[in-house]
Amino acid sequence: MEIIIKEIPEEGMQLHLDSKKDGWFRQALSDSLSDLYKTGDKGEGEFELLRIGVNVDCSGVVDCDCHPTCCRCLKVFPSHMEVPIHLTLAPLYESERQLKLEQKDEVALVKDDLEFSYYEGDDFNLGGIIREQVILALPLQTLCKKNCKGLCQRCGKDLNEGPCDCKQEQADPRWRPLKAFKAKR
Ligand SMILES: [Zn+2]
Ligand SMILES: [Zn+2]
């Protein structure tokens, strides 16, 4: 959704987003979450946009259901994400970073860059911001529960459902020669 900056009123603009009603919001969620986002997963957003001089302060939170895959047992499980967003949008050409880039100075990606973004012209795309921030918030590893036992490396059984039959043979293979040696003696 394109936000025309000069249309943001003096007192700020409040947005209540619902993935059931706002197609562009649903699209932004499904773009950033891809396989994690299933039809029927709820998504809500609350945003406040405030003009501060030439900058726009964009703060809010995205709340959504998702269906990640557990990295241990490979089960898809229902989960929930809450992504707080706080960004200051500055006009591209007035940003120091852009000036530095033009002077071909090396610009280190400092943490501040993550909380700063830029707009070009007189509008910006809120869907793009939401996409970017949700992707940044995605956990690298997801577990269906903290103590998920995962799958047996040998038979593939889900060990959360109980031990498998090959448990006995799972001893550390490095000890096997020692066992054989002891048996010989
Ligand atoms: Zn699991
Ligand atoms: Zn097994």
Side-chain angles (χ1 to χ4, degrees):
M1 184 169 113
E2 297 298 330
I3 305 282
I4 315 282
I5 289 157
K6 61 174 187 283
E7 287 177 5
I8 300 174
E10 195 78 20
E11 68 277 11
M13 182 189 266
Q14 260 84 28
L15 294 166
H16 309 281
L17 311 174
D18 184 341
S19 62
K20 274 189 226 126
K21 290 182 221 139
D22 306 298
W24 65 270
F25 179 52
R26 185 172 54 244
Q27 190 60 46
L29 291 177
S30 90
D31 284 351
S32 48
L33 295 168
S34 60
D35 294 347
L36 277 64
Y37 195 70
K38 307 262 183 257
T39 338
D41 277 354
K42 268 187 280 178
E44 276 170 37
E46 293 288 334
F47 279 90
E48 179 165 35
L49 307 174
L50 206 58
R51 269 195 291 167
I52 300 168
V54 290
N55 293 349
V56 179
D57 193 83
C58 169
S59 60
V61 64
V62 169
D63 242 306
C64 66
D65 291 339
C66 57
H67 281 84
T69 303
C70 174
C71 65
R72 279 193 202 147
C73 69
L74 308 179
K75 217 183 273 163
V76 174
F77 62 100
S79 186
H80 184 256
M81 269 180 89
E82 198 181 293
V83 184
I85 295 174
H86 193 163
L87 274 178
T88 302
L89 299 159
L92 190 62
Y93 273 94
E94 290 182 31
S95 73
E96 209 184 322
R97 185 162 181 253
Q98 180 65 17
L99 283 175
K100 279 189 185 160
L101 279 172
E102 280 170 11
Q103 290 160 5
K104 296 213 162 54
D105 276 352
E106 205 177 305
V107 183
L109 186 74
V110 288
K111 194 179 172 286
D112 282 354
D113 282 23
L114 298 174
E115 282 146 19
F116 237 85
S117 198
Y118 306 99
Y119 69 82
E120 253 183 301
D122 49 15
D123 60 5
F124 66 91
N125 188 307
L126 187 59
I129 289 173
I130 291 173
R131 247 196 316 269
E132 215 175 83
Q133 296 296 311
V134 171
I135 289 173
L136 284 173
L138 285 177
L140 294 178
Q141 290 199 318
T142 43
L143 290 177
C144 62
K145 54 187 176 202
K146 223 159 100 198
N147 56 349
C148 171
K149 295 191 178 84
L151 304 177
C152 169
Q153 304 251 336
R154 189 176 287 235
C155 69
K157 188 182 156 140
D158 185 347
L159 298 175
N160 295 305
E161 291 163 5
C164 60
D165 298 331
C166 42
K167 191 128 201 223
Q168 289 295 313
E169 295 162 58
Q170 266 184 350
D172 192 326
R174 282 172 297 179
W175 296 111
R176 257 181 230 150
L178 188 68
K179 245 190 202 165
F181 176 72
K182 274 189 185 159
K184 252 189 232 161
R185 292 201 356 159

